[in-house]
């Protein structure tokens, strides 16, 4: 999951439609969100759990800026779209775990700070069931309330990136200290999360539940609350992410399908199209051109 606090420029949020390109045309170069460096193109598609880092908050942080992209994707109703079927526009955005690819683009300069959180850390800090954020891209104020405004003001007022990261650290530590005991993630959920990640989604749900001492239904409900997706849906994403890594490294699709828990190569191709909006070849070609920040 991620929280992006932008400084002025708008981000357009949309959905990659199955069987279509589902990307925005690039105008800049480089990457956005890359530490303290200047950055360029902010265009890409992605699906999955995002990048995570350790630490007291279970998250990583990045800052950067860049020049932008023209919007090309059409769409329909759904997360990331307004009531008229147009791409939603935000300056800052909270992204829950996604089971479908999303397309993001901007025009002009984009500057901001991105905080990438492990789901269980987001559950502690956000104070709401993460199932409500599944497949959702929304304004931080919808999740954090006045805290989002205060954090944005503090980051904008800070003198340079070092000051912004210091302000972010101070804010996160304060938020973490205020977390009620009832907001602590369940050790059983954390254990199931770790098992799924370590196995890249190949541990059966019934086995996960047995190891937690819960019924599959109870595990599903608690997992959706504290992680954002059910174990089965998260497993699909993890299997696909593993396949993407191996395909990017040049592996044979048939061997990768067998090793990542798919029935065959056709099953892998169908999952690609269902979850990313495009077949494997097109997805990988697009990924090479997209910002690593957004590609996931």
């Amino acid at each position: 999951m991620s929280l992006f606090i932008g400084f002025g420029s708008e981000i357009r949020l949309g959905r990659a439609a199955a069987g279509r390109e589902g990307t925005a045309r690039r105008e800049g170069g480089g990457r956005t969100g890359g530490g303290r460096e200047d950055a360029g193109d902010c265009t890409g598609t992605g699906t999955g759990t995002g990048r995570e880092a350790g630490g007291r908050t279970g998250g990583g942080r990045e800052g950067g800026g860049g020049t932008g992209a023209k919007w090309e994707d059409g769409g329909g109703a759904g997360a990331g779209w307004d009531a008229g079927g147009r791409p939603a526009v935000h300056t800052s955005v909270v992204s829950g775990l996604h089971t479908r690819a999303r397309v993001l683009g901007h025009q002009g300069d984009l500057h901001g700070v991105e905080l990438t959180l492990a789901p269980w850390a987001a559950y502690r800090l956000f104070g709401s069931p993460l199932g409500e954020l599944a497949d959702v891209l929304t304004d931080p104020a919808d999740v954090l309330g006045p805290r989002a405004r205060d954090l944005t003001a503090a980051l904008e007022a800070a003198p340079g990136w070092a000051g912004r990261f210091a302000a972010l650290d101070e804010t996160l530590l304060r938020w973490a200290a205020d977390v009620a005991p009832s907001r602590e993630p369940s050790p059983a959920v954390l254990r199931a999360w770790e098992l799924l990640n370590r196995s890249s989604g190949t541990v059966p749900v019934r086995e996960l539940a047995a190891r937690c001492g819960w019924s599959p239904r109870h595990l599903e409900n608690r997992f959706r609350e504290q992680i954002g997706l059910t174990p089965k849906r998260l497993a699909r994403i993890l299997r696909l992410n593993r396949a993407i890594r191996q395909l990017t490294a040049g592996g044979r699709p048939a061997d990768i399908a067998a090793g990542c828990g798919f029935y065959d190569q056709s099953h892998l191709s169908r999952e690609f199209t269902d979850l990313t909006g495009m077949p494997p070849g097109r997805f990988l070609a697009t990924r090479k051109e997209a910002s690593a920040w957004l590609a996931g």
Side-chain angles (χ1 to χ4, degrees), residues 23 25 30 33 49 55 62 67 69 90 92 124 156 160 170 181 187 199 210 217 238 240 247 253 277 282:
T23 61
R25 182 167 68 251
T49 60
E62 299 180 347
T67 58
H90 296 280
S92 301
R124 295 183 76 246
E156 287 183 320
E170 179 183 351
S199 68
R217 176 60 62 85
L238 293 172
L240 184 64
L247 286 168
R282 186 183 298 170

Side-chain angles (χ1 to χ4, degrees), residues 143-171:
V143 179
L144 297 169
R147 292 188 296 172
R149 181 194 61 236
D150 295 342
L151 176 58
T152 300
L155 296 180
E156 287 183 320
W161 291 111
R164 291 185 177 116
F165 287 130
L168 180 62
D169 286 344
E170 179 183 351
T171 299

Side-chain angles (χ1 to χ4, degrees), residues 125-139:
L125 293 179
F126 290 171
S128 60
L130 293 191
E132 297 176 359
L133 293 177
D135 287 304
V136 166
L137 294 158
T138 190
D139 191 280

Side-chain angles (χ1 to χ4, degrees), residues 96-191:
L97 295 188
H98 280 67
T99 58
R100 294 291 185 275
R102 292 291 183 267
V103 181
L104 294 87
H106 68 86
Q107 293 181 313
D109 290 335
L110 178 69
H111 293 84
V113 174
E114 182 197 24
L115 174 67
T116 306
L117 292 163
W120 50 265
Y123 175 71
R124 295 183 76 246
L125 293 179
F126 290 171
S128 60
L130 293 191
E132 297 176 359
L133 293 177
D135 287 304
V136 166
L137 294 158
T138 190
D139 191 280
D142 295 337
V143 179
L144 297 169
R147 292 188 296 172
R149 181 194 61 236
D150 295 342
L151 176 58
T152 300
L155 296 180
E156 287 183 320
W161 291 111
R164 291 185 177 116
F165 287 130
L168 180 62
D169 286 344
E170 179 183 351
T171 299
L172 292 177
L173 289 172
R174 185 172 65 253
W175 289 359
D178 291 339
V179 172
S182 61
R183 300 305 307 172
E184 293 295 337
S186 165
V189 168
L190 293 178
R191 185 160 57 251

Side-chain angles (χ1 to χ4, degrees), residues 1 97 119 129-135 222-230 233:
M1 301 189 64
L97 295 188
L130 293 191
E132 297 176 359
L133 293 177
D135 287 304
R222 296 297 299 277
F223 213 82
R224 185 188 295 111
E225 174 193 40
Q226 299 180 18
I227 301 298
L229 301 175
T230 64
R233 294 178 73 191

